[in-house]
Amino acid sequence: MPSPAARERVDAVVVGARCAGSAAAIAMARAGRRVLVVDRAGFPSDTLSTHLNFPSAVAEMQRLGALERIRRSGAPECREGMVAADGVACIQHFEPVDGIDYALCNPRPAFDLAMVETAREAGAEVRERTALADVRWNGGRAVGARLRGRDGGEYDVDAALVIGADGRGSTTADRVGAAVPYRGSRNDRGLAFFYADDPHAGTAWRGRVLQLRAGLTHTLVFPCPDDRMLVLFMGPASEIGAFRRNPHGMWDRLLAENPLAAERVSGATNLTKLRSTGSVAAFYRRSSGPGWALAGDAGHFKDPVIGQGMRDAMRFGRVLGEAAAPVIDDPRRLDAALLAAERRRDRECAASYHWGNKESRITPVSPLLKEALREFDRAQTPHLMHMFDRVRPAHHVLHPLRGATLATRAMLRRGTDRRALLRELREELRIDADTWREELTRPFRPTRTWASERPGYEVPGSAGARPVTAAPDAPAVVA
Ligand SMILES: Cc1cc2nc3c(=O)[nH]c(=O)nc-3n(C[C@H](O)[C@H](O)[C@H](O)COP(=O)(O)OP(=O)(O)OC[C@H]3O[C@@H](n4cnc5c(N)ncnc54)[C@H](O)[C@@H]3O)c2cc1C
């Protein structure tokens, strides 16, 4: 281990080099700060994630100066989104966000490599195959990191700021005492996905991202580079075992239940092996403290069913880096800036968190949703895609007045199970009222259980080694 005199000193150590870590590093390095990013992976490297990015996420890539590199992998520009439920479909164009009117679906190895290269270009040092072993402290303040290099040897680095951008099983969160979330929600949906050659190469399908609902399962189709596509099934998490035992049998079964999905993907060839998980609980961890902060999934994860994780990891990684860079030499102002960045993340993510929790419930296709799709497809405004693009949150697009109109139409439609519809309405109202309440009252690090949250969630523990179970009524870890 180097002597203290020889010890390396940087302004910030960032643990994790993907969406959040690279974004934070780019922001700080551009502001002239000395930044060391470490990742235990070597890039390019894959990670368990699908990777649809709506225009607001692509706009984040542009802000970071990473878009041109990311585009080199050749992912098609998808200008339309389609949501269908039991055959009732709504197709809409995306509206531009910062001039970007298309979604992209770049596989993670090339995407993350582009982020790492952009961070290096901005001036950050990215050290691969290097892990955080521990956070170092002085008088209750994080003052650096103990790192484990590719040869297994450990060494210390001094830093004014340690950012944990090391994913859901964050070691940093564990070392700063924030591993147990103060709020969260059980997910009930699993993810099972394949890549395949697109049977509709060269057609308009290549410019459209799909969410096709039938029965209890959503089938999602995202066009990828090289005329490939990603086919994702999001059904009950309890079916992930069946997927693992018989992936092709499940593929056949779910397409048989979903004629629109079958029309889109039948004839697909060169299927990869299945990738799957049944464990994607949503949560918030305390994300800042003296000399440290958590970025991306390390601090907050929302259900992937709404495809917002990469966007938020990039956006709030950047926001954190921009807030920290000018005040990194002043501990008091630095801590205040870290706290303000955390508050901003919470404020901007609350509605999507509740929306994701809602969408991860396992419920049959709702007559209300079908009415909404009919309305949005007919009128083309308001914009259903605004919800995915974060232009307006779901509870604003589907506000109470519109909800009442749609509910009346659904009630009057022949064949509607009115009792089930009333039950659904009660539940939706309860959740939306709570979502509005959170928006209006803006509590910081709330610890009561909110209506969208389901108990019994587990999140990966330290470095993914052990899950931490956090009942929502567990004692809050609040600074
Ligand atoms: C199944 C699934 C599907 C998803 N689909 C989508 C989607 O379609 N669209 C979307 O926007 N989001 C999606 N998400 C969410 C998205 O993957 C995440 O929100 C995003 O990857 C978060 O980025 P991050 O940089 O915070 O963390 P990560 O991408 O998890 O990166 C963390 C990095 O930290 C490194 N690391 C961990 N521990 C250490 C350590 N001790 N020392 C050094 N390095 C360490 C890891 O090697 C890794 O490179 C999905 C998530 C899942 C699980």
Side-chain angles (χ1 to χ4, degrees), residues 173-383:
D174 184 64
R175 302 300 190 262
V176 300
V180 178
Y182 60 82
R183 72 186 301 194
S185 182
R186 193 185 71 228
N187 67 295
D188 290 341
R189 251 174 226 291
L191 292 93
F193 61 101
F194 305 82
Y195 297 88
D197 285 348
D198 193 333
H200 295 286
T203 72
W205 285 116
R206 296 289 297 163
R208 195 177 275 176
V209 295
L210 309 182
Q211 188 197 84
L212 309 173
R213 303 180 181 205
L216 300 179
T217 300
H218 305 352
T219 303
L220 298 97
V221 185
F222 310 142
C224 294
D226 304 320
D227 286 339
R228 301 279 284 165
M229 63 179 179
L230 190 161
V231 181
L232 163 65
F233 298 100
M234 295 194 74
S238 55
E239 288 188 347
I240 291 300
F243 259 108
R244 289 176 183 162
R245 283 190 300 278
N246 184 7
H248 293 111
M250 287 298 282
W251 167 284
D252 290 341
R253 195 201 96 191
L254 292 169
L255 292 187
E257 289 172 10
N258 192 334
L260 265 179
E263 182 191 334
R264 173 67 181 90
V265 308
S266 290
T269 45
N270 281 331
L271 251 66
T272 53
K273 70 178 176 27
L274 169 79
R275 314 203 70 203
S276 63
T277 177
S279 169
V280 284
F283 64 85
Y284 282 85
R285 290 185 174 120
R286 180 169 56 113
S287 297
S288 64
W292 64 266
L294 301 178
D297 285 4
H300 162 54
F301 186 78
K302 61 181 81 56
D303 201 288
V305 65
I306 56 172
Q308 301 294 319
M310 293 171 71
R311 181 254 187 206
D312 282 344
M314 286 185 280
R315 179 177 179 82
F316 298 107
R318 175 179 59 76
V319 162
L320 180 65
E322 287 171 353
V327 291
I328 222 160
D329 302 316
D330 179 337
R332 202 177 45 81
R333 290 176 68 206
L334 174 63
D335 295 349
L338 303 178
L339 191 68
E342 179 183 351
R343 279 182 193 274
R344 177 168 169 193
R345 178 204 68 186
D346 290 2
R347 201 168 56 241
E348 289 188 29
C349 290
S352 302
Y353 167 72
H354 292 299
W355 179 37
N357 291 345
K358 260 193 187 187
E359 293 295 331
S360 73
R361 293 170 301 178
I362 300 297
T363 48
V365 167
S366 132
L368 266 181
L369 173 68
K370 290 206 269 189
E371 290 304 331
L373 294 177
R374 283 189 187 99
E375 161 87 4
F376 291 143
D377 193 56
R378 186 178 52 77
Q380 288 291 310
T381 177
H383 218 279

Side-chain angles (χ1 to χ4, degrees), residues 15-21 38-41 43 45 47-53 108 112 130-133 165-171 191 193 222 277 279-280 295-298 301 304 307-311 313 463:
V15 186
R18 297 187 194 261
C19 313
V38 297
D39 201 299
R40 63 183 178 197
F43 294 94
S45 114
T47 183
L48 182 69
S49 167
T50 61
H51 33 76
L52 179 66
N53 284 284
R108 291 294 298 258
D112 291 316
T130 300
L132 175 83
D166 44 352
R168 292 183 288 159
S170 170
T171 307
L191 292 93
F193 61 101
F222 310 142
T277 177
S279 169
V280 284
D297 285 4
F301 186 78
Q308 301 294 319
M310 293 171 71
R311 181 254 187 206

